[in-house]
C-alpha cells in the first residue's frame, strides 16, 4: 500500500507542482508577429499618398533672412576691422599678421634677388657698344623729309604761304644741327671717298665724327632761301640713308641716289638738282653707335625739283644704287628706296 501511496503521492505531487504558463511558451511567437505587423504598417505608411499639405512646396523653401539695418552692417564692418574681444585686425591676430608679412617679404625678396641675378648675368654677356650676335646685316633703307604725321605727301600752293609754311618749318628743324658753326665746333674735317675707320681704339672710347656743313646744301640749305623753294613752286627735300652700326655701304664705292616718276608722266617731274652731290660719301662710315659716335651727323642728299608740273598728282620714287644695295623689295617699300607724292598748285 505504501508504494502505491508513494506513487500516487508522487503523481499527485507532480500534478500539484505543474502550473501551466501559456504566456511563457507563446511570447516568442507574439514578438515575431508584432515586429512583422510593425514592418507592414511602416511600408503602408511609406506608400500612402502625400497629403495636400506635403505637396505645398512653399513651406519647404528657406525663409528669407531679415534685412540688416545700416547700423548692423556698420557694426559688422567695425568688428571686422578691429575685434576688441579677440584682438583681431581684419580677421587676423598680430602674430598671424607678423607671420604672413614675414613670409611674403621673404618670398618677394627672393624673387627680386633671382631676377637681379639673371639680369646681371645677361648684362655680362651683352656689350652696350655693338651687338653680341650679328649674323646678317640688312641693306639700309631710306627716308625723306619733310613729312607731316608720317604721311609722304607734299601738297601746297606756291602763292599760299600757309599751305607750305609747315614744310619750310620742318626743313629748318631738320637742318639746325648741320649749322656750320656747330659742325666746326664738334666735328673734324675728314678725307673724302674713304671709310673713316676707328677700330684700333678702345671699345668704350669716343669716336670722332666728320663734318657735314649746312652750307654745302646750296639752294636747299635755307641760308639763301629760307623758304626752301616752296614759295617758288620748286620745293627741296632731304634724303637720308638709315644708320646701321658697323655697316660699310657700297663695298668701297659711294652709294648714289636717283629719283624718277613712279606713277605719272615722266616729263611732269622736270629738272632735278642734288646737293652737295647725288652720293653718300664714304667718309661718314662706319657708324659706331650713339654711345661712341656722340656727335655723329648723318649725311643727307638734298633734291630740288625745279620743274614740277602744277595741278598734277606726281608720285616720285628715289632709290639708292650701289653694291650690296636692295631697292626693289616687293614687301618693304623703304628698303633702299622711298616713295612720296607732289601736288603743287600755282
Amino acid at each position: 500500500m505504501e508504494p502505491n501511496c508513494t506513487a500516487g503521492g508522487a503523481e499527485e505531487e507532480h500534478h500539484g507542482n505543474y502550473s501551466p504558463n501559456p504566456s511563457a511558451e507563446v511570447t516568442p511567437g507574439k514578438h515575431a508577429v508584432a515586429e512583422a505587423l510593425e514592418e507592414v504598417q511602416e511600408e503602408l505608411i511609406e506608400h500612402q499618398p502625400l497629403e495636400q499639405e506635403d505637396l505645398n512646396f512653399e513651406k519647404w523653401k528657406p525663409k528669407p533672412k531679415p534685412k540688416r539695418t545700416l547700423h548692423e552692417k556698420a557694426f559688422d564692418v567695425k568688428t571686422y576691422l578691429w575685434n576688441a574681444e579677440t584682438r583681431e585686425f581684419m580677421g587676423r591676430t598680430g602674430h598671424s599678421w607678423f607671420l604672413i608679412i614675414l613670409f611674403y617679404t621673404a618670398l618677394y625678396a627672393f624673387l627680386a634677388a633671382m631676377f637681379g641675378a639673371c639680369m646681371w648675368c645677361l648684362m655680362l654677356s651683352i656689350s652696350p657698344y655693338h651687338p653680341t650676335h650679328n649674323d646678317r646685316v640688312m641693306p639700309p633703307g631710306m627716308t625723306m623729309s619733310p613729312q607731316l604725321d608720317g604721311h609722304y605727301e607734299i601738297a601746297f600752293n606756291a602763292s599760299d604761304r600757309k599751305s607750305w609754311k609747315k614744310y619750310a618749318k620742318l626743313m629748318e628743324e631738320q637742318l639746325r644741327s648741320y649749322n656750320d658753326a656747330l659742325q666746326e665746333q664738334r666735328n673734324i674735317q675728314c678725307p673724302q671717298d674713304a671709310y673713316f675707320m676707328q677700330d684700333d681704339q678702345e671699345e668704350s672710347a669716343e669716336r670722332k665724327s666728320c663734318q657735314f656743313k649746312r652750307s654745302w646744301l646750296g639752294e636747299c640749305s635755307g641760308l639763301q632761301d629760307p623758304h626752301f623753294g616752296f614759295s617758288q613752286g620748286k620745293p627741296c627735300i632731304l634724303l637720308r640713308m638709315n644708320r646701321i652700326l658697323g655697316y660699310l655701304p657700297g663695298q668701297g664705292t659711294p652709294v648714289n641716289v636717283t629719283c624718277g616718276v613712279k606713277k605719272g608722266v615722266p616729263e611732269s617731274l622736270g629738272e632735278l638738282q642734288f646737293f652737295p652731290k647725288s652720293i653718300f660719301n664714304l667718309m661718314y662710315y662706319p657708324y659706331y653707335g650713339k654711345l661712341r659716335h656722340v656727335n655723329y651727323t648723318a649725311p643727307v642728299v638734298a633734291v630740288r625739283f625745279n620743274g614740277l608740273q602744277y595741278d598734277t598728282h606726281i608720285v616720285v620714287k628715289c632709290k639708292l644704287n650701289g653694291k650690296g644695295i636692295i631697292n626693289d623689295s616687293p614687301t618693304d617699300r623703304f628698303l633702299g628706296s622711298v616713295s612720296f607724292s607732289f601736288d603743287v598748285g600755282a
Side-chain angles (χ1 to χ4, degrees), residues 65-79:
K65 296 181 179 180
K67 293 184 178 180
R68 299 172 60 81
T69 63
L70 182 62
H71 178 73
E72 292 175 339
K73 294 179 181 179
F75 180 78
D76 290 345
V77 173
K78 181 181 178 182
T79 304

Side-chain angles (χ1 to χ4, degrees), residues 94-231:
H95 181 69
S96 176
W97 277 113
F98 171 77
L99 291 179
I100 196 170
I101 292 175
L102 179 63
F103 169 76
Y104 281 105
T105 301
L107 174 64
Y108 288 113
F110 170 75
L111 294 177
M114 184 174 65
F115 177 77
C118 293
M119 292 299 297
W120 179 72
C121 295
L122 178 64
M123 296 306 295
L124 288 179
S125 62
I126 296 178
S127 172
Y129 304 107
H130 60 82
T132 304
H133 303 286
N134 193 10
D135 298 334
R136 181 169 178 260
V137 178
M138 288 294 294
M142 188 164 61
T143 59
M144 61 83 62
S145 297
Q147 50 176 294
L148 297 176
D149 301 326
H151 298 292
Y152 289 81
E153 299 174 356
I154 300 176
F156 66 95
N157 292 325
S159 59
D160 185 3
R161 178 183 177 86
K162 292 183 179 179
S163 65
W164 52 259
K165 185 179 179 180
K166 51 191 175 183
Y167 298 112
K169 184 178 179 180
L170 288 175
M171 291 286 288
E172 178 64 31
E173 293 176 356
Q174 292 285 330
L175 294 176
R176 195 167 295 162
S177 60
Y178 292 84
N179 288 336
D180 292 9
L182 190 61
Q183 287 293 313
E184 292 174 357
Q185 178 184 355
R186 294 180 176 179
N187 300 333
I188 64 172
Q189 293 183 358
C190 302
Q192 297 187 6
D193 302 327
Y195 295 125
F196 187 22
M197 307 299 297
Q198 304 179 68
D199 295 335
D200 55 342
Q201 302 182 27
E202 293 184 4
E203 184 181 36
S204 59
E206 182 178 340
R207 269 48 173 183
K208 297 179 181 180
S209 302
C210 298
Q211 295 179 2
F212 192 101
K213 295 183 178 181
R214 180 174 180 174
S215 59
W216 296 350
L217 298 179
E219 296 180 11
C220 289
S221 64
L223 302 176
Q224 304 171 10
D225 179 12
H227 302 154
F228 299 93
F230 284 92
S231 61

Side-chain angles (χ1 to χ4, degrees), residues 36-55:
L37 289 174
E38 289 179 0
E39 292 179 357
V40 172
Q41 289 177 356
E42 290 177 358
E43 292 179 358
L44 291 174
I45 292 173
E46 291 178 358
H47 291 83
Q48 284 180 355
L50 295 174
E51 299 292 339
Q52 186 65 29
E53 294 182 359
D54 296 333
L55 295 175

Side-chain angles (χ1 to χ4, degrees), residues 134 136-141 195-197 241-251 253 255 282 284-289 296 320 322-326 335:
N134 193 10
R136 181 169 178 260
V137 178
M138 288 294 294
Y195 295 125
F196 187 22
M197 307 299 297
M241 185 164 56
N242 292 349
R243 292 178 288 186
I244 300 177
L245 196 144
Y247 181 64
L248 300 175
Q251 301 177 9
T253 304
V255 176
L282 299 180
Y284 300 102
Y285 306 98
Y287 172 62
Y288 288 95
Y296 181 79
L320 301 172
K323 296 180 180 179
I325 299 296
I326 299 175
L335 183 60

